[in-house]
Amino acid sequence: MTSRPVLLVIAHGSRDPRHAATVHALVRRVRARRPGLRVETGFLDFNIPSVPGVLESLAAEGVRDVVALPLLLTRAFHAKADIPAVLREAPARLRIRQAEVLGPSPLLTATLERRLYEAGLTPADKSSTGVVLASAGSTDPEAIAVIAEIAREWRHTGWCAVRPAFASASLPRTEDAVRELRALGCARVAVAPYVLAPGFLPDRIARGAAEADVLGDVLGPAPEVARVLLERYDEARVPVPAALGA
């Protein structure tokens, strides 16, 4: 029987030590959910082990199959350019499939909502609460459109209003979206950070939420996020039929 491909979780990396700690906590949760699956972590920048270093080590061990999973919420520059470029430089003996990014997913939206409830909201507050869906931001129009669509769909679950906001590269900023929701007449305003781990941009989101009533935590090592990782892994590891892959 063919062994399962190794899952390589590729994180961006950060000078902020909370970032790597959160990534490792999430990977531990993934391992706990799928005993027997080998899960490795590599970083694009700032932290070790690096992605090339992990790939070299796997090849030296005799590993053949790897699913490389970008720990990203949207398909922006890192997923489209940075990660494929790194994977192209991997040892030739490795067969690598790049999995899709995590978002969008109903499981991630469910995590956002749970984080708001953990921060003090209740389901009864939904109809009178406006939510700022605050993401890191991107110059990629596809990524921006995805965030806007998540906000539209989430609004239909009963919130007073949902507005997207961005910590960098795009507008509006979190504080501007908070004020917009106030002007709309929402009784309270909550900020839901659509980011995976603490760091520079999540801290900017938190500062922008100063005038909000509620600030949710980052997605972090939530069980729903671990489930999405494994879903993306399973989707990527399905072998291509021989007739098509020949």
Side-chain angles (χ1 to χ4, degrees):
M1 184 177 71
T2 304
S3 61
R4 289 181 289 185
V6 171
L7 170 56
L8 172 58
V9 176
I10 300 179
H12 183 276
S14 172
R15 292 186 178 91
D16 189 319
R18 297 174 298 168
H19 173 89
T22 302
V23 170
H24 291 309
L26 176 58
V27 168
R28 286 194 296 272
R29 191 178 284 274
V30 171
R31 290 189 182 117
R33 290 188 68 91
R34 188 72 62 89
L37 172 63
R38 181 172 178 181
V39 186
E40 299 290 341
T41 308
F43 294 91
L44 291 174
D45 208 351
F46 301 116
N47 302 104
I48 55 174
S50 68
V51 175
V54 175
L55 292 171
E56 291 283 354
S57 296
L58 291 173
E61 289 179 33
V63 170
R64 287 297 305 277
D65 292 300
V66 176
V67 168
L69 194 155
L71 197 60
L72 301 168
L73 296 173
T74 58
R75 288 191 73 253
F77 182 79
H78 292 304
K80 294 177 179 178
D82 280 355
I83 292 175
V86 171
L87 298 180
R88 281 195 294 271
E89 299 300 317
R93 68 166 282 113
L94 292 176
R95 294 185 298 224
I96 303 175
R97 301 186 188 110
Q98 183 176 329
E100 288 295 330
V101 297
L102 303 184
S105 167
L107 288 168
L108 298 179
T109 309
T111 309
L112 288 169
E113 194 151 315
R114 184 163 60 78
R115 292 296 191 225
L116 292 179
Y117 295 151
E118 290 168 351
L121 289 180
T122 70
D125 296 325
K126 286 185 74 167
S127 63
S128 57
T129 301
V131 178
V132 177
L133 178 67
S135 76
S138 173
T139 57
D140 189 302
E142 179 186 351
I144 297 303
V146 166
I147 299 300
E149 180 61 23
I150 293 170
R152 281 192 294 269
E153 292 186 1
W154 200 16
R155 160 70 180 84
H156 294 149
T157 66
W159 296 102
C160 173
V162 180
R163 294 289 187 272
F166 307 94
S168 68
S170 309
L171 295 174
R173 294 286 183 257
T174 302
E175 53 269 33
D176 297 325
V178 169
R179 293 177 190 130
E180 180 186 352
L181 291 171
R182 290 269 188 235
L184 280 176
C186 298
R188 66 186 64 77
V189 177
V191 174
Y194 190 55
V195 292
L196 285 164
F200 176 75
L201 292 178
D203 283 349
R204 181 180 288 177
I205 290 171
R207 290 193 298 272
E211 296 180 17
D213 301 291
V214 173
L215 171 63
D217 200 357
V218 300
L219 297 173
E224 299 93 336
V225 180
R227 283 179 60 191
V228 177
L229 259 74
L230 289 169
E231 285 181 0
R232 299 291 180 258
Y233 169 80
D234 290 335
E235 292 161 1
R237 68 184 285 259
V238 174
V240 177
L244 298 176

